[in-house]
Amino acid sequence: MGTQTIRRRHIIRGAAFLIICAALFPAEIRVLMSDMKAPFSVKSESGLSAESGAHVFIASNNEFRIDAGRDGVSVSGYGIYRQVDISSAAVIRLNGISLNGTVRFIPHNGSVAAIAVLDLEEYVRGVLPYEMQQDWPLEALKAQALTARSYALHHMLLKKKDTPYDVDNTTKYQVYRGIVPGASNVNAAVAETEGEVIIYRGHIIPAYFHASCGGYTESTYRIFGVDIPYLRGCPCYYCGTNARHWSFAVTKDEFAAKLAQAAVRVGAIHRVAVIERNRSGRVDAFLAAGDAGSKKINGGELRKLMGAGRMQSLAFDVKLDETHVRFSGTGNGHGVGMCQWGAYGMALAGLSYKDVVFLYYKTAEIHDYRILRTLEPDIWKINETYLNSFTSH
Ligand SMILES: [Zn+2]
């Protein structure tokens, strides 16, 4: 990643958010179900109705079939509309997914998209099992509930009024696939932290997290060039033995070819080395030397070239032999914010979810967003694409 000139910007403030704030209660999140494609079947046990403007239809057999129509959303047997909201007193089945809420259909990218409109708490209940294992200790799940809720609310506040959705249901944001059965610990974690979010100076933070840090969480300054006070990195004594160790090897030729993709051309490789590490032990700068010269490459950029699935973190060592470049490291993810295995270790040690939050988001506070006077997202001009490419799990 090229280091960017990045400055803190609370650019969108005041009146706009007060208006959004008024519209947030009760907070409903709009989730684009982007991994689902038309045609859609929407079913319910009872009382399924569709609404479009002044038109309301009751499904005669408790099912609507939705597809792309000419210039709109086709509701089989009822006509074509610009937007259709389907709701029920019971659970809705959308192409096999169960959810509590309304399903909105809009024309989207030449077809029709489904948007689940649901209570924020219901959404967090659905997201949690995809972000953390359901059988983990309650206090770890509660910490994860706060990160999930904060992250979601942050995006809800960021979205402009005319944007039809707040987040999508993939790893680009957080995975959501409706009601997850048997998630009792998850339900307790959400219920016991209802409404609680992580705040910095009155602003809802985008609560980044990762699987395991390997002993020291990452400072955003090192990877984004922006100093976010609650994400400066800290020692983590809790992921310890659970931090994943990984290794992989690539041939010298493959390595040279990968570097060339980033216009780092050094010819046939004869030397590789880590030349700068930050205080968390992660690689800042890497040197590759070949018969056509030597070049320095940023650690984050190298990880992107190698693939974040293979090079799971920047806490690594490198060796070169006759044929291969061999990497071995520890930890998984970008290292920013909460270390999930650390949260697991803290919960097992008898610490609370608040201890977890205050360790990984130093100087932050926990508040129930429903009683805050104003709701504003904490905005930093960072390279989200870079962060999203390292989604942790
Ligand atoms: Zn850790």
Side-chain angles (χ1 to χ4, degrees), residues 210 212-217 236 238-239 339 342 360:
H210 58 281
S212 64
C213 74
Y216 209 109
T217 68
C236 167
Y238 300 95
C239 58
C339 167
Y360 296 112

Side-chain angles (χ1 to χ4, degrees), residues 5 35 37 89 121 136 161 213 223-224 316 327 339 346:
T5 305
D35 61 353
K37 304 284 175 240
E121 299 300 315
W136 274 23
K161 225 177 155 191
C213 74
I223 56 174
F224 304 133
F316 68 80
F327 295 94
C339 167
M346 289 177 82

Side-chain angles (χ1 to χ4, degrees), residues 85-117:
D85 285 5
I86 298 183
S87 51
S88 169
V91 169
I92 288 180
R93 301 272 304 161
L94 169 68
N95 283 11
I97 282 180
S98 302
L99 53 90
N100 284 310
T102 296
V103 185
R104 176 168 296 156
F105 294 94
I106 58 163
H108 187 69
N109 291 344
S111 184
V112 167
I115 296 168
V117 183

Side-chain angles (χ1 to χ4, degrees), residues 292-309:
S294 62
K295 286 208 167 141
K296 193 169 145 177
I297 183 164
N298 169 282
E301 198 168 349
L302 181 68
R303 185 170 176 227
K304 206 151 44 170
L305 288 171
M306 292 292 111

